[in-house]
Amino acid sequence: MALEAIRAILDVDTGVDDAMAIALAVAAPTIDLVALTTVAGNVELEHTTRNTLRVLDFVGASHIPVYQGMSRPIDRPLFTASHIHGSDGLGGADIPESSRSVEAISAPQFLIDAARQSPGELTFIFVGPLTNLAVAVALEPELPRLVKRLVIMGGAFRMPGNTTATAEFNIFADPMAAAQVLAAGFDATWVGLDVTTKAVFARAQWDALETATAPNAQIVRKAGAQMFLTFNRPVFQLHDPLAVAVAADPTLVDAPEEAVMIETGGDYAAGQTIIQRPGREEGWATKVAKTVDAPRFGTFFTATLGLS
Ligand code: BDR
Ligand code: CA
């Protein structure tokens, strides 16, 4: 069945899998990528913005504007994942500098302006901490009604976290932002570790790209190097690319509506994403991806990026 065309804004904390998500969103024929917004997360904001600009330029998308957002979470110090993504965020990947700059207005203000200009038309795809969106909602509480759909890479709903025993990185990095976005009432789909850990790119697939010259293949090759060569992982988890793919094709996941709560404090469980038991009153109704058609996602990823 043909996919419906969407107009999307992608919010990133670029990051190795964010880099691949950017390439995927640019290349996907049914995604009209209006703009990117950047946030601090995997590394500091100056790096996530720098990486976003150079990845866009590298894949031939210098025309897509970039809006820089928040440099730290709502109510806690910045917590990065530079031990995974490297101090520059891309594991030292050799990607040329961009000569262009970010736009003059901030990411939260841009999100509001864009949604007001095209009410009901835009899909927001968020693959970093949710700080920019929480700030935007605080400034414009009607934002959830102005946006068509929100797809979030975040959460560990029915499994342990990847940052603490209970929390996934994007939610742990700014639990207050995530809780505020959850409560805001978007038509949201949460694409958490439950499904993204099943969306993997194997070492053999990465090895096969050694002599690839096309920019999309080179982004996957360069951004994947840290995971495969430094950490010697057998597979690379395509967290953020899966969220982009779900924005383009919602049928890739089964995402039933659940009542969800997010732990914003506590000594041990900050950032935990909790599915409420049936019949209880607490919790916000939202869609949570439960299963993924991983082979079909794999085909979407490789075919869209021209890897096979
Ligand atoms: C998420 O955390 C980040 O490190 C990745 O870019 C991804 O968005 C996975 O937990
Ligand atoms: Ca990310």
Side-chain angles (χ1 to χ4, degrees):
M1 206 178 65
L3 297 179
E4 190 190 323
I6 64 166
R7 293 180 65 216
I9 296 171
L10 176 60
D11 184 275
V12 286
D13 60 330
T14 315
V16 293
D17 60 325
D18 304 73
M20 297 182 199
I22 292 170
L24 189 66
V26 169
T30 61
I31 299 180
D32 173 9
L33 191 56
V34 175
L36 279 90
T37 52
T38 62
V39 68
N42 284 323
V43 283
E44 294 80 2
L45 182 64
E46 64 178 290
H47 293 301
T48 63
T49 301
R50 168 182 175 238
N51 294 342
T52 303
L53 288 166
R54 56 195 184 122
V55 169
L56 279 173
D57 287 4
F58 193 81
V59 299
S62 312
H63 57 286
I64 300 181
V66 176
Y67 296 82
Q68 184 164 255
M70 306 308 289
S71 62
R72 42 160 294 222
I74 304 262
D75 67 346
R76 61 187 56 218
L78 179 63
F79 174 85
T80 70
S82 56
H83 55 291
I84 303 283
H85 297 263
S87 57
D88 70 340
L90 289 179
D94 159 32
I95 298 169
E97 294 302 328
S98 171
S99 56
R100 66 187 177 118
S101 324
V102 294
E103 304 299 313
I105 61 172
S106 73
Q109 189 59 50
F110 168 70
L111 292 168
I112 295 167
D113 293 349
R116 281 179 181 155
Q117 251 170 39
S118 310
E121 283 182 21
L122 291 172
T123 297
F124 282 4
I125 311 170
F126 273 66
V127 299
L130 289 161
T131 322
N132 286 337
L133 193 51
V135 171
V137 168
L139 294 169
E140 172 49 287
E142 278 306 302
L143 191 59
R145 263 74 60 198
L146 296 171
V147 171
K148 184 175 185 189
R149 185 169 177 237
L150 168 64
V151 179
I152 295 165
M153 191 284 125
F157 292 86
R158 299 177 178 86
M159 64 177 287
N162 63 356
T163 302
T164 67
T166 55
E168 180 277 329
F169 176 79
N170 288 339
I171 310 302
F172 179 79
D174 196 345
M176 185 58 77
Q180 290 175 358
V181 167
L182 172 66
F186 286 94
D187 178 354
T189 302
W190 298 72
V191 178
L193 298 181
D194 313 73
V195 285
T196 63
T197 52
K198 309 225 163 48
V200 297
F201 196 70
R203 173 71 192 250
Q205 291 176 285
W206 184 79
D207 286 343
L209 300 178
E210 190 175 355
T211 55
T213 53
N216 286 335
Q218 284 200 43
I219 284 291
V220 175
R221 176 81 192 169
K222 288 170 187 282
Q226 169 98 339
M227 289 299 155
F228 290 120
L229 299 183
T230 311
F231 300 130
N232 208 20
R233 300 254 175 101
V235 295
F236 178 81
Q237 296 175 338
L238 296 167
H239 305 286
D240 295 348
L242 180 60
V244 168
V246 169
D249 182 357
T251 70
L252 286 171
V253 291
D254 174 34
E257 191 165 285
E258 307 281 5
V260 168
M261 302 166 299
I262 294 179
E263 186 60 65
T264 54
D267 290 333
Y268 304 112
Q272 183 174 7
T273 44
I274 303 159
I275 294 179
Q276 179 59 285
R277 287 183 294 166
R280 302 289 291 244
E281 285 197 354
E282 310 90 352
W284 284 266
T286 195
K287 297 185 200 97
V288 178
K290 189 173 188 178
T291 58
V292 56
D293 187 337
R296 201 151 63 80
F297 164 70
T299 303
F300 180 93
F301 183 76
T302 54
T304 304
L305 292 177
L307 307 182
S308 52

